[in-house]
Amino acid sequence: MIKAIIFDLDGVLVDTKKIHFEALNKALKKFNYKEIKFEDHVKIFDGLPTNEKLKILNKKNKLPKKNFSKINKFKQKITSDILKKRIKKNLELINIFKKLYKNYKIAVATNAVNSTLKICLEKLGISKYVHYKLSNEDINVAKPNPEIYLRIFIKFGIYPSEALILEDSHYGREAAISSGAKLLPIKKIEEL
């Protein structure tokens, strides 16, 4: 029996693929590094925290590690600015969360940073219908590691088989499957 529903953020609750792509490229450009193609962002980087994206770029393009912090901070600032402008209250999503909140524990688990998570939940209007939320800053190892989900199971006092996880990215799905929970793969945000 399902007792908890766990939502990924990016690609499930909000369409942020282009936002993260745009913000990362602006940050790379500011520090005079080669920008990435959207196709690469979707195939290689989608669902990963910014630092993981930078590690991949370090291996491929010799992006120096000494600049990771500056690039990451600038990328997060741009992301926050864009999210505040583009994310709007979603009445359909609010109604879904209101109904689910009555019968299930609701969590949001994301590889995004806390500020992105907070902005999105508040702008969408669903923050008060979420029992628990975790970002990549609240865990030791990001998805595809299942740690983020295991922490939610412990918090809610449930077995993995009592959780349903909604994920869109390859890395998120891998984490969900590894956690032992049930997975509902999301291909497009409209499927929710």
Side-chain angles (χ1 to χ4, degrees):
M1 182 166 121
I2 300 296
K3 294 182 179 177
I5 301 174
I6 306 168
F7 296 86
D8 176 40
L9 181 69
D10 298 316
V12 175
L13 299 176
V14 289
D15 189 3
T16 55
K17 281 183 190 358
K18 289 182 182 168
I19 293 171
H20 287 295
F21 167 73
E22 186 181 325
L24 179 60
N25 272 341
K26 283 184 178 182
L28 290 170
K29 188 174 182 177
K30 178 178 172 58
F31 295 98
N32 299 314
Y33 295 108
K34 185 179 174 185
E35 296 177 48
I36 61 171
K37 296 177 187 166
F38 186 70
E39 298 78 31
D40 289 341
H41 189 266
V42 172
K43 287 180 190 170
I44 301 167
F45 303 102
D46 188 38
L48 291 175
T50 302
N51 266 341
E52 293 303 313
K53 294 175 184 179
L54 296 176
K55 287 176 187 175
I56 292 169
L57 289 171
N58 169 262
K59 289 178 185 168
K60 289 176 90 175
N61 301 336
K62 308 289 189 259
L63 181 75
K65 287 183 181 180
K66 66 179 182 171
N67 293 331
F68 279 20
S69 181
K70 288 189 283 187
I71 293 169
N72 195 349
K73 282 181 188 171
F74 190 72
K75 190 264 183 191
Q76 299 311 333
K77 183 196 177 314
I78 293 168
T79 302
S80 291
D81 292 345
I82 296 171
L83 289 171
K84 287 174 186 172
K85 290 177 192 165
R86 294 190 195 165
I87 303 296
K88 305 287 183 222
K89 187 178 271 190
N90 185 326
L91 295 177
E92 189 177 2
L93 199 56
I94 292 169
N95 287 331
I96 291 169
F97 269 68
K98 266 186 197 178
K99 288 176 185 167
L100 293 175
Y101 186 81
K102 292 175 187 174
N103 299 308
Y104 302 96
K105 292 287 187 186
I106 303 296
V108 177
T110 180
N111 267 352
V113 295
N114 270 322
S115 61
T116 295
L117 176 58
K118 186 177 180 195
I119 291 167
C120 289
L121 294 182
E122 295 203 1
K123 296 291 271 177
L124 289 169
I126 60 172
S127 191
K128 66 182 177 181
Y129 303 111
V130 176
H131 295 100
Y132 191 53
K133 55 189 178 287
L134 287 175
S135 76
N136 71 11
E137 295 174 302
D138 301 315
I139 56 173
N140 297 313
V141 187
K143 300 173 199 173
N145 187 292
E147 177 191 351
I148 198 163
Y149 294 122
L150 302 177
R151 286 181 181 244
I152 293 170
F153 304 156
I154 291 167
K155 172 74 174 176
F156 289 162
I158 62 170
Y159 292 106
S161 61
E162 297 174 317
L164 175 66
I165 298 173
L166 287 79
E167 272 288 358
D168 70 312
S169 76
H170 169 74
Y171 297 110
R173 290 176 187 178
E174 192 177 316
I177 291 166
S178 296
S179 77
K182 291 171 177 60
L183 169 66
L184 178 59
I186 302 292
K187 290 182 183 141
K188 291 186 277 184
I189 199 164
E190 297 81 23
E191 292 178 351
L192 185 61

